[in-house]
Amino acid sequence: MFDALKRAIAGALFFFAGAAFAQANALSGTVTSQAEGAMEGVIVGAKRAGSTMTVSVVSDKQGRYAFPAERLEPGSYTLRVRATGYMLESANAVMIGTQKNAVADLRLRKATVDETASQLSNSEWLMSWPGTRAQKDSIRGCNHCHTYERIMRSKFTPDEALATIERMARYTPSTFPNLIQPNAPGRIGAGVPTPEARERLQNLRRRQAEYIASLNLSKAASWPYELKILPRPTGKATRVIYTEYDMPSITRQPHDVIIDKQGYAWYASFGEQILGRLDPKTGAIKEWPIPVVKPNRNKGVLDLEFDADGNVWIANGFQGAVQMFDRAKETFRTYAMAAEFDGDHSELLFIAPQNSRVDNKVWVMNNGEAVVFRVDVLTGKWEKFPAFPVPRPRLYSVFSD
């Protein structure tokens, strides 16, 4: 489901399909199959040898696709397609010369059940499963750290699935198969539950395990239900160009990507102390290590925002700190939480520095307590404010006027 397990961030630019075929193109062609003839809504991607960028377009009602001349440079390209239930049958390499008028007609074949399973989105797996709404809801969150395909290809019995669920419950939300982090002591949900609560949790996990074992490959060589597929794009939905950028490492998890006034895309890694900047025009990436405040705590960043001067502010999760990246000096300034507010439960997720120029104050939300802090950037003083009355509210984002 992940292309070579590489993490990418993508942008899109809309255009009119009719005009695309009237102008000069770097590469064009048709997409057909024996089952459908001309195929609409097939995503065709092209990646130049040695590049970290993949540009993709979508075929129209006549099966035609076209890359505008300015989007692909001369060179050797590898082509790929995205059409769930189909595989590329014809050659996937093409050379684009200096005249930029290459043609490559693509022929697709029906995919096998196993191949189709590797193409399904999480939504399509959810659609495909038999069972009640309650059963599906019970394992809906299992795609937080990995895809449903990983679960469906397992051969776990109910007992084996239960053991796996219990083990995975000890991992942080920023975990995924290529970067595993155990929960640090004291994070949300930790503590000693009552015997009644333990029994309820165990019963829930047992039901989850039994449901998973009824869906996976523990009893048969293939899935005992039809794999359902969402329809491909049609009409105006095919008038789009996607650009994907490979990350420098397989462990990168770009979370909230923000764009500055110069057009650069900034990101932080959800499971690492990494701040990065991408040039969408060239694909060039520069990264900086975010200072570690608490070595024994979970690493990673969820939210980052600009202040009025364009500097990048970070709410550094379980690290118990707010950090500002000075773009001119390329250095970090760290505001560690005040000792009276800090603790293993602290999880700083969202930050609001946009109006800090007014009063030198930055606001940040603590998900560990559902409270809001205000930090004075001149003195480093922290103030604590309750968010809403109990029962404990669920907060997501924080803003200042």
Side-chain angles (χ1 to χ4, degrees), residues 19-163:
F21 292 101
Q23 65 187 9
N25 295 309
L27 171 65
S28 62
T30 59
V31 183
T32 61
S33 68
Q34 183 176 356
E36 296 187 31
M39 297 182 66
E40 183 180 16
V42 177
I43 300 175
V44 180
K47 186 174 186 179
R48 186 161 55 94
S51 174
T52 59
M53 301 168 59
T54 301
V55 180
S56 299
V57 296
V58 188
S59 61
D60 66 9
K61 191 173 184 178
Q62 288 74 44
R64 301 177 301 179
Y65 73 91
F67 291 86
E70 70 274 11
R71 299 307 294 266
L72 299 181
E73 296 297 323
S76 176
Y77 283 79
T78 299
L79 303 183
R80 72 183 190 195
V81 296
R82 168 73 179 180
T84 306
Y86 286 89
M87 299 291 289
L88 186 62
E89 182 179 76
S90 53
N92 66 341
V94 64
M95 178 65 70
I96 298 177
T98 55
Q99 299 301 313
K100 293 190 175 184
N101 57 358
V103 176
D105 293 330
L106 305 177
R107 183 79 172 175
L108 274 56
R109 63 168 175 81
K110 278 282 191 178
T112 65
V113 172
D114 187 70
E115 290 170 335
T116 300
S118 295
Q119 299 172 334
L120 294 186
S121 66
N122 285 326
S123 295
E124 289 167 324
W125 277 112
L126 195 63
M127 290 165 41
S128 301
W129 296 337
T132 66
R133 174 66 180 268
Q135 286 177 311
K136 293 185 179 185
D137 283 349
S138 74
I139 63 172
R140 186 187 300 272
C142 290
N143 70 356
H144 190 98
C145 302
H146 53 70
T147 67
Y148 288 140
E149 180 193 358
R150 193 176 185 91
I151 306 172
M152 294 302 101
R153 287 192 180 277
S154 74
K155 298 181 180 180
F156 292 148
T157 64
D159 287 342
E160 292 168 334
L162 178 59

Side-chain angles (χ1 to χ4, degrees), residues 240-388:
V240 62
I241 299 175
Y242 299 100
T243 305
E244 299 170 63
Y245 304 88
D246 294 344
M247 292 286 94
S249 170
I250 197 173
T251 58
R252 295 293 182 271
Q253 299 181 77
H255 205 283
D256 293 359
V257 178
I258 55 177
I259 311 297
D260 66 19
K261 294 179 180 179
Q262 292 75 39
Y264 290 106
W266 293 78
Y267 63 88
S269 185
F270 191 39
E272 302 170 285
Q273 297 292 107
I274 294 291
L275 175 69
R277 185 192 66 194
L278 164 73
D279 183 346
K281 295 179 180 179
T282 65
I285 290 176
K286 185 173 183 178
E287 295 187 328
W288 298 266
I290 300 171
V292 174
V293 179
K294 298 181 178 181
N296 64 330
R297 299 283 287 157
N298 297 137
K299 314 299 191 300
V301 175
L302 186 148
D303 183 39
L304 65 163
E305 302 289 346
F306 297 124
D307 63 18
D309 298 316
N311 296 313
V312 182
W313 285 79
I314 296 164
N316 203 181
F318 289 107
Q319 288 292 302
V322 165
Q323 287 153 325
M324 186 270 281
F325 179 72
D326 187 313
R327 292 180 57 177
K329 299 178 181 179
E330 296 192 7
T331 57
F332 287 91
R333 182 173 180 180
T334 298
Y335 300 86
M337 289 182 70
E340 64 266 32
F341 301 139
D342 198 4
D344 287 339
H345 61 281
S346 299
E347 183 185 19
L348 303 179
L349 290 190
F350 296 97
I351 192 165
Q354 294 86 346
N355 297 306
S356 58
R357 182 186 287 177
V358 175
D359 59 0
N360 299 310
K361 303 292 200 306
V362 169
W363 294 81
V364 62
M365 186 270 282
N366 179 10
N367 189 53
E369 295 180 284
V371 300
V372 178
F373 290 107
R374 185 171 62 184
V375 186
D376 189 309
V377 301
L378 296 182
T379 66
K381 179 183 177 182
W382 286 66
E383 299 173 88
K384 180 179 178 180
F385 301 88
F388 294 100

